[in-house]
Amino acid sequence: MKSPVSAAIAIALGLIVLGGYFLDIPVLQSLRAELVTWAMVLAAFAVWIGVINLLSVHWKKAAAHAPDAPYSIILMVSFALTVIFGFLDTGLSATPQTQQIVNSIQLPIQASLMALLAFTLAYASIRLLRRRRDPVSIVFLIAVVVFLILGSGLLPSFNLPVLNDLVATLNRLPLAGSRGILLGVALGALTTGLRIIIGADRPYAG
Amino acid sequence: MCGKSNPAELENCQYCQARLKPLANKSGSILPDWLDNLRTKKDQEPASPPPPPEPEVPDWLSRVRERSQEDKDSEAFSQITLPDWLVEDEETPPPADQATPEPAETGIAPEATPAWLSEFTSAEPVEEPKPVDQESDIPDWLKKFSEFGELLPAEQGVDAPPPAVSESSPFTETSLPSDLPVIPNNNLEQPPADQAAEVTELPDWMLGLAPASPPTPGQPSEAPAVSLVEPSAEDEPLASPLSTDLPVSLENNAPEWLKDFQAAGAGQPQTALPFAGEALPPAEINADLPDWLGKLSAPPSAEPAVSPAPEEPAPQEGESLIPAEIPGWVKAMRPIETIVPVPKVDHRIEERGPLAGLKDILPAESGALEIAPPPSFAFRLHTTDQQRGRQALLESLLASEAEPKPREKPAPRLDNQILRWVIAALILLAVIVPVVANVSILPAAEAYPGQAAQALAAIDSLTQNVPVLVSVDYEPGLAGEMEAAAAGVMNDLMARGARLTIVSTSPTGSALAVRLIEKAAGNKPEPFHTPYLNGERVANLGYLPGSASALLGFAQAPQAAAPFTVTGQYAWSLPVLQGIHSLSDFGLVLVITENPDTGRGWVEQVHPALGDRPLILVSSAQAAPVLLPYLDSGQIDGMVTGVTGGAVFEKYSSRPGLGQAYAGGYQAALAVAVCVILVGAIVEAITLFVKSSKAKKEA
Amino acid sequence: MPLANLIWTALSFIFTLLVLSYVFLGDNPLFRVATYIFVGVAAGYTFLVSFNQVIWPRLIFPLINASASPLEKALLGAPLLLGLLLLTKLFPRLASLGNISMAYLVGVGAAVAIGGAVLGTLFPQGSAAVNAFDLHASQGRSPSLVLIEAVVLLVGTAATLMYFYFGARSLTPGQQPQRPQVVDTTAQIGKYFIAITFGSLFAGVYIASISALVERVYFLWNTLF
């Protein structure tokens, strides 16, 4: 058996936390609350690992003089400046100046990237029929147009009773597929979680 | 395979269906010619142990052998020049007394070694040596091994380019090692810390040899069993792990372990070695391996797995095939991926671009275009007919999906780039004109009618000074839409004097919350905005790491999960949070998110802890369709969706804000986009129809 | 406008233009510089927030704080140890030590996923699909319309689920296994419901991107004039 200690920890934690959903035992609830709080702290360490790994990859690319090495250097410098500025500005607490990093650098870049989708998706929609011409694609394209119109809020301004009923029904059509997808996701989460809790899957043993 | 006894005449195990008799024993004709020739030679010389097939021995091992020869017969060694070991073996076979110690050095009889293992140890790769950076060509199990030992690339690719990363890189050791193989070496002595790196530079099977060579009485005490990997000259740094001259450096630096090893070969019973005495039973090999591999791995005739030590009498033929189970660590080294295809789980790490190094991110290219049919299995799994049937059905379904659709060349008369520019210009104009002209077209209804009214009704039921929990759970990129949707709700809450407590499962949430309050207050804040802008009526609890787990923790024990504000104050003694002990003490929970999973997390984990308190969702248009079922089931008490929902809420609450300000450009751009998509799709459909009808006529 | 605000606004303006240059110039160095800076800054800010808002106040500060009781400090030893073990994942030779912490996270995450899925989605959504037939809750709409809608939604939900069902068997030996006819037909219907849902999702993404574009244009216009 590979890493039995890890498996035992995962199974025990899973049973305790899962038991808390169904059993209202004070001791169990307290233990569960403490364990979940620890998991939150642990998740912050996991964030660090992700960040450090990202940097290590770019460090290697920069050291290897890869074609996009200058960009990797830019990335690392911007990381370093952010961290230094953050610590110098706030010490150990957040202030509006540090928050300006989000509002004045992250937000404009990410929002502009999002805005680019407005152009590329329109182009992709036109080209869709060239790629796929089956009935499902046609239904998809029609649904896109209909929900764009509904989302714009322009259509109901005609204020016709028949249209209102039609719009209400159209609006509820995605509900069927969404509910099916949500139930499918829940069933998937259930089976995957159960496999972990009974020890059949051990994604942590790497 | 299953360990149960079977009648002698059976070819397959009646319990586990594993083959009991090797295929090679039935007929030698199934072997390749070269293997058949070997077998013929073997049959001709049954009495004496044959010399091991030298071409199977790795280069470095041959040098080890030379070293051993040198110790035994330096005179003979001086007459041999490299690569004379080949000449020596093929042209001038050594006498039997010289040949026997040689296999004892490794404890591995190459004939008894499975093909995959001999391939692994072989210094003469069948294919061209591959550069180190072509990792995609190396099987995963080999990658793991090479990462662990770092020796393989040096062996495999003598001409391999130098490593991409210099040894001085501080991050050399920082790559995530989550999938390194853990091969137990229980009886291996722990190397000193400064030698640890050297230890890892040898494959584990070689480390496994070390315990079999205890120090001889005459050996210096500072040479432990793990001196197999310890250079004698401490001041001389070990060659780079990827260096191609590692065997040479070992030869030069480690005479002690060689002596040690040689002594072990002479003095120790060979069965003590990991491979010795544990020759793989052919039946087991054939049952587990693919056919072609089974043929290769089955010895043409029963021959000693290990040549005997000089002191021991030569074993009778056939005795060397001792039935034994494959050791666990050998099993661990099996190239599973050659038998069972690695499932294409998308745990790839981004290698290019700014996200390089991150795991499990969405690829830039469409994944749907990369669907590959599942590879067929090369061996028989223990599956039922029903399971195989399901597999076949799944394969056929996937195959139809992966079938490439015929792509036609773009129309020559319409340049794609120009089309892109035209689309971009139209949409940009549609946005800019209403902004410049300050035109606002108020939407008459929201996308999902009635939701905003429900939300307003829930807020209307609140009393003055009520505590409200606000989750600012969106990414900065969606701030434009989320602020337009949420500003009206926030403005209404502030007008009612609500005490706002802010949390977020996103690191940027606390900063975006401050911006959201400023945006809701607008350019001309009213007096009731002041305590929110200066933070008096706001407790910003900041970041809750761990997504759904964090939400459960916060729902269960909010004071333990988020004890401090972002400014480091203990939050739960602040006036804003007076009287709050659990989430059901809040009058309302407002979740502002653009992510369906985050919305689902709040509904699944937090909603049960709220009792009868309302949960209102401000959602992006992109998340609304997925979250709609929760509104329908009553788990959400109101939903404000996107810019339209925000504008409608502002209209209902009679407080104009961002939603109405953005509505003009938003609606104009959407109208243009719908027209562009409709016209483009119709033109495209007509073009395709005309083309296909032309093609039919021509046919 | 204070100098700091001026600088921040200028940065915001420049970065917006750098990214939007993609519209007419395609992938160009300015665009790439902006995206790399974004990733670096985002990583830095995440690193900073993880420390400032989680690790320092909830782990390190209570440990060094004299007013904390020994029991509290002892209890914090566990997450500290688990966190340090998790950090060993950065070092290949010690990485296996981090499996314990990974197991901790995975075990908690699995249980949270199960509990949430069962109590928050499976039961409520299942009952909601049935409650749709409750004509008393039609809210003034025509009962026949409500009934038709409920049937359509139920069929759509079941058909969508069926689409992801791949169970099959062969009636006679050697025959290609196939899904039962009922399942297969329902799955074909489900495909169209999925197409409608994905169409609405695509439209939602497009609407979100248009909203982002409008916000950026507003920002650029208000900055200039």
Side-chain angles (χ1 to χ4, degrees):
Chain A
M1 178 180 276
K2 201 173 179 183
S3 54
V5 178
S6 302
I9 288 174
I11 292 169
L13 263 292
L15 289 176
I16 291 170
V17 175
L18 188 58
Y21 280 102
F22 303 100
L23 305 173
D24 193 14
I25 303 170
V27 178
L28 179 65
Q29 294 293 342
S30 304
L31 180 62
R32 180 197 191 211
E34 191 67 34
L35 293 175
V36 174
T37 308
W38 292 355
M40 292 171 66
V41 177
L42 212 49
F45 280 100
V47 168
W48 274 23
I49 288 180
V51 170
I52 293 171
N53 192 49
L54 174 81
L55 290 176
S56 72
V57 170
H58 283 280
W59 179 278
K60 285 174 185 172
K61 288 172 77 172
H65 300 291
D68 50 355
Y71 298 112
S72 294
I73 293 169
I74 288 172
L75 185 147
M76 288 186 290
V77 169
S78 55
F79 171 86
L81 287 178
T82 305
V83 172
I84 291 168
F85 178 81
F87 278 119
L88 288 180
D89 180 51
T90 68
L92 295 171
S93 64
T95 67
Q97 285 303 309
T98 307
Q99 289 167 354
Q100 283 294 338
I101 293 172
V102 175
N103 294 339
S104 300
I105 299 176
Q106 280 198 58
L107 191 148
I109 297 176
Q110 205 177 353
S112 304
L113 287 170
M114 190 75 195
L116 289 181
L117 279 181
F119 310 112
T120 53
L121 288 185
Y123 182 76
S125 303
I126 293 171
R127 292 291 183 212
L128 176 69
L129 288 181
R130 183 169 293 188
R131 303 285 293 276
R132 297 180 69 114
R133 270 169 284 171
D134 50 356
V136 176
S137 302
I138 294 169
V139 169
F140 172 81
L141 199 60
I142 292 171
V144 169
V145 172
V146 167
F147 286 103
L148 278 179
I149 294 169
L150 291 177
S152 69
L154 285 169
L155 189 62
S157 60
F158 297 109
N159 211 15
L160 293 173
V162 181
L163 265 182
N164 283 342
D165 278 351
L166 181 66
V167 166
T169 307
L170 281 177
N171 271 319
R172 288 175 68 79
L173 264 187
L175 189 61
S178 314
R179 182 166 285 153
I181 291 171
L182 275 181
L183 289 173
V185 168
L187 288 171
L190 179 65
T191 49
T192 308
L194 283 177
R195 285 179 63 81
I196 288 171
I197 286 185
I198 64 174
D201 271 353
R202 297 176 189 175
Y204 41 82
Chain B
M1 188 61 97
C2 57
K4 295 175 182 173
S5 60
N6 287 284
E9 66 273 13
L10 285 181
E11 289 190 355
N12 293 330
C13 174
Q14 56 188 341
Y15 302 102
C16 66
Q17 303 303 320
R19 182 172 288 281
L20 298 174
K21 295 178 181 177
L23 287 172
N25 287 345
K26 287 185 191 171
S27 164
S29 62
I30 62 171
L31 294 173
D33 288 342
W34 60 272
L35 201 54
D36 217 357
N37 293 340
L38 283 180
R39 182 184 176 185
T40 312
K41 283 182 188 175
K42 187 69 61 185
D43 291 338
Q44 288 168 355
E45 304 173 347
S48 61
E54 291 299 325
E56 294 287 329
V57 180
D59 200 16
W60 60 269
L61 202 52
S62 70
R63 297 184 187 187
V64 168
R65 183 174 298 163
E66 288 166 17
R67 186 71 183 188
S68 130
Q69 290 285 355
E70 182 186 19
D71 290 341
K72 286 198 165 191
D73 191 358
S74 60
E75 202 171 298
F77 179 75
S78 63
Q79 295 171 356
I80 300 169
T81 55
L82 282 175
D84 285 350
W85 59 275
L86 278 170
V87 179
E88 177 188 332
D89 288 326
E90 292 176 2
E91 295 178 0
T92 59
D97 59 341
Q98 284 188 7
T100 43
E102 289 177 5
E105 291 179 4
T106 62
I108 305 168
E111 287 89 352
T113 309
W116 59 266
L117 195 56
S118 59
E119 181 185 327
F120 171 70
T121 53
S122 173
E124 298 177 10
V126 179
E127 298 173 2
E128 285 294 314
K130 295 172 182 173
V132 176
D133 56 353
Q134 288 181 353
E135 290 181 3
S136 58
D137 293 334
I138 304 172
D140 285 347
W141 66 272
L142 207 53
K143 275 186 197 170
K144 292 176 182 177
F145 217 85
S146 61
E147 284 169 16
F148 190 73
E150 298 287 346
L151 184 60
L152 190 62
E155 289 181 356
Q156 262 193 336
V158 177
D159 298 331
V165 182
S166 68
E167 283 300 296
S168 61
S169 163
F171 285 112
T172 304
E173 298 290 325
T174 59
S175 57
L176 276 182
S178 60
D179 51 358
L180 286 177
V182 180
I183 302 173
N185 284 316
N186 296 333
N187 50 356
L188 183 67
E189 287 186 30
Q190 192 66 29
D194 57 345
Q195 294 166 3
E198 298 156 11
V199 172
T200 59
E201 285 165 9
L202 287 173
D204 269 21
W205 63 269
M206 198 165 169
L207 292 176
L209 294 175
S213 53
T216 51
Q219 197 173 9
S221 61
E222 62 269 18
V226 290
S227 62
L228 180 66
V229 293
E230 179 188 5
S232 59
E234 289 182 7
D235 53 349
E236 187 172 344
L238 193 70
S240 165
L242 296 175
S243 158
T244 54
D245 58 354
L246 180 60
V248 177
S249 66
L250 279 176
E251 188 181 5
N252 293 338
N253 296 338
E256 290 299 324
W257 69 268
L258 264 179
K259 289 174 190 171
D260 194 16
F261 204 59
Q262 193 178 356
Q268 295 293 321
Q270 294 309 302
T271 52
L273 296 174
F275 276 98
E278 294 184 351
L280 308 180
E284 287 193 13
I285 296 168
N286 288 333
D288 277 347
L289 299 183
D291 289 342
W292 62 272
L293 204 54
K295 289 172 192 170
L296 290 179
S297 58
S301 63
E303 65 181 59
V306 177
S307 301
E311 292 83 5
E312 292 180 352
Q316 293 299 316
E317 194 174 321
E319 286 180 4
S320 58
L321 277 177
I322 303 167
E325 291 187 356
I326 305 175
W329 61 273
V330 176
K331 282 183 180 176
M333 288 168 61
R334 277 193 314 178
I336 301 297
E337 286 76 10
T338 62
I339 305 169
V340 183
V342 180
K344 284 198 167 183
V345 180
D346 236 0
H347 288 317
R348 56 183 162 187
I349 297 174
E350 185 70 11
E351 293 173 351
R352 295 179 179 174
L355 296 178
L358 291 184
K359 209 175 177 183
D360 294 344
I361 67 167
L362 285 174
E365 69 274 12
S366 169
L369 301 177
E370 295 184 339
I371 294 174
S376 57
F377 294 102
F379 75 112
R380 186 179 175 85
L381 283 170
H382 298 293
T383 53
T384 64
D385 287 342
Q386 191 184 22
Q387 287 169 329
R388 279 195 293 276
R390 289 177 177 174
Q391 178 211 342
L393 181 66
L394 182 62
E395 280 182 6
S396 65
L397 283 170
L398 290 176
S400 67
E401 287 294 321
E403 199 173 294
K405 306 290 177 189
R407 287 191 64 180
E408 295 171 12
K409 290 178 183 176
R413 56 194 166 82
L414 188 62
D415 185 41
N416 288 339
Q417 192 57 45
I418 292 175
L419 181 62
R420 286 173 193 267
W421 286 345
V422 169
I423 291 172
L426 283 174
I427 294 174
L428 265 180
L429 269 178
V431 174
I432 290 171
V433 168
V435 170
V436 174
N438 200 17
V439 175
S440 181
I441 314 164
L442 285 184
E446 57 196 320
Y448 303 99
Q451 299 169 5
Q454 276 180 273
L456 186 64
I459 293 173
D460 272 339
S461 67
L462 299 177
T463 57
Q464 282 285 327
N465 201 31
V466 68
V468 173
L469 177 65
V470 181
S471 159
V472 182
D473 264 330
Y474 54 88
E475 289 298 310
L478 273 294
E481 183 188 21
M482 301 312 299
E483 285 165 358
V489 181
M490 292 293 285
N491 207 10
D492 206 45
L493 288 173
M494 288 190 280
R496 294 168 193 274
R499 293 178 280 152
L500 302 181
T501 302
I502 290 165
V503 292
S504 177
T505 58
S506 163
T508 53
S510 54
L512 292 172
V514 176
R515 180 183 150 103
L516 174 62
I517 290 171
E518 290 170 358
K519 290 281 181 182
N523 292 331
K524 296 174 182 174
E526 296 184 42
F528 67 81
H529 287 127
T530 309
Y532 297 98
L533 292 172
N534 62 24
E536 282 176 21
R537 295 187 74 79
V538 179
N540 195 340
L541 302 185
Y543 174 44
L544 300 175
S547 55
S549 302
L551 292 176
L552 173 66
F554 186 69
Q556 221 181 0
Q559 298 187 355
F564 301 101
T565 66
V566 292
T567 52
Q569 290 176 290
Y570 182 70
W572 300 87
S573 59
L574 292 174
V576 177
L577 283 166
Q578 283 296 311
I580 305 292
H581 304 288
S582 69
L583 292 196
S584 59
D585 292 330
F586 286 104
L588 174 82
V589 175
L590 175 68
V591 177
I592 310 170
T593 184
E594 101 290 2
N595 189 338
D597 288 334
T598 308
R600 191 163 58 89
W602 275 90
V603 172
E604 289 183 345
Q605 307 297 338
V606 179
H607 182 259
L610 295 181
D612 58 350
R613 301 299 184 189
L615 173 67
I616 291 177
L617 209 64
V618 176
S619 160
S620 161
Q622 69 180 15
V626 180
L627 297 173
L628 205 56
Y630 292 117
L631 183 73
D632 187 64
S633 65
Q635 292 168 283
I636 296 172
D637 298 284
M639 197 155 120
V640 179
T641 303
V643 174
T644 320
V648 170
F649 188 94
E650 288 167 9
K651 191 172 76 172
Y652 289 163
S653 64
S654 307
R655 293 180 193 282
L658 271 186
Q660 293 191 8
Y662 288 172
Y666 166 83
Q667 289 187 312
L670 271 183
V672 168
V674 167
C675 291
V676 165
I677 291 172
L678 266 180
V679 170
I682 289 169
V683 168
E684 192 80 19
I686 291 171
T687 312
L688 292 172
F689 178 75
V690 170
K691 274 185 183 176
S692 62
S693 55
K694 268 186 184 176
K696 278 181 186 174
K697 280 179 184 175
E698 287 174 4
Chain C
M1 185 183 282
L3 181 64
N5 282 1
L6 191 66
I7 293 171
W8 288 121
T9 306
L11 277 176
S12 189
F13 190 87
I14 290 167
F15 282 127
T16 302
L17 290 182
L18 290 183
V19 176
L20 289 181
S21 70
Y22 184 91
V23 177
F24 295 106
L25 300 179
D27 191 4
N28 61 82
L30 297 176
F31 171 77
R32 299 189 74 187
V33 164
T35 52
Y36 276 77
I37 286 177
F38 164 68
V39 175
V41 169
Y45 192 79
T46 304
F47 187 88
L48 201 64
V49 167
S50 302
F51 182 78
N52 280 352
Q53 298 185 16
V54 184
I55 292 174
W56 171 259
R58 298 186 202 174
L59 193 61
I60 298 175
F61 179 73
L63 279 175
I64 62 174
N65 187 12
S67 63
S69 70
L71 180 63
E72 286 173 339
K73 290 185 179 179
L75 277 176
L76 286 171
L80 179 66
L81 179 66
L82 287 169
L84 293 177
L85 285 176
L86 195 59
L87 288 179
T88 61
K89 283 280 178 190
L90 292 168
F91 307 100
R93 279 174 284 143
L94 303 173
S96 58
L97 293 173
N99 287 349
I100 292 173
S101 303
M102 288 300 295
Y104 189 102
L105 283 174
V106 168
V108 171
V112 167
I114 293 173
V118 172
L119 298 177
T121 297
L122 283 178
F123 287 157
Q125 292 305 317
S127 60
V130 175
N131 290 339
F133 288 90
D134 184 7
L135 300 182
H136 297 290
S138 59
Q139 295 175 340
R141 298 169 67 195
S142 161
S144 56
L145 189 67
V146 171
L147 194 63
I148 292 170
E149 192 178 280
V151 170
V152 169
L153 291 184
L154 186 64
V155 168
T157 304
T160 305
L161 274 175
M162 284 293 182
Y163 181 75
F164 297 107
Y165 177 77
F166 293 109
R169 61 181 174 186
S170 50
L171 297 175
T172 56
Q175 187 196 4
Q176 174 79 4
Q178 288 182 335
R179 291 195 278 197
Q181 188 63 36
V182 178
V183 175
D184 204 41
T185 309
T186 319
Q188 293 301 318
I189 299 171
K191 211 158 60 172
Y192 289 94
F193 278 95
I194 291 174
I196 292 170
T197 305
F198 282 173
S200 69
L201 282 169
F202 185 91
V205 173
Y206 193 79
I207 288 171
S209 64
I210 286 282
S211 308
L213 179 64
V214 171
E215 189 270 337
R216 280 298 91 193
V217 169
Y218 254 88
F219 165 77
L220 292 175
W221 180 260
N222 289 338
T223 305
L224 286 175
F225 305 101

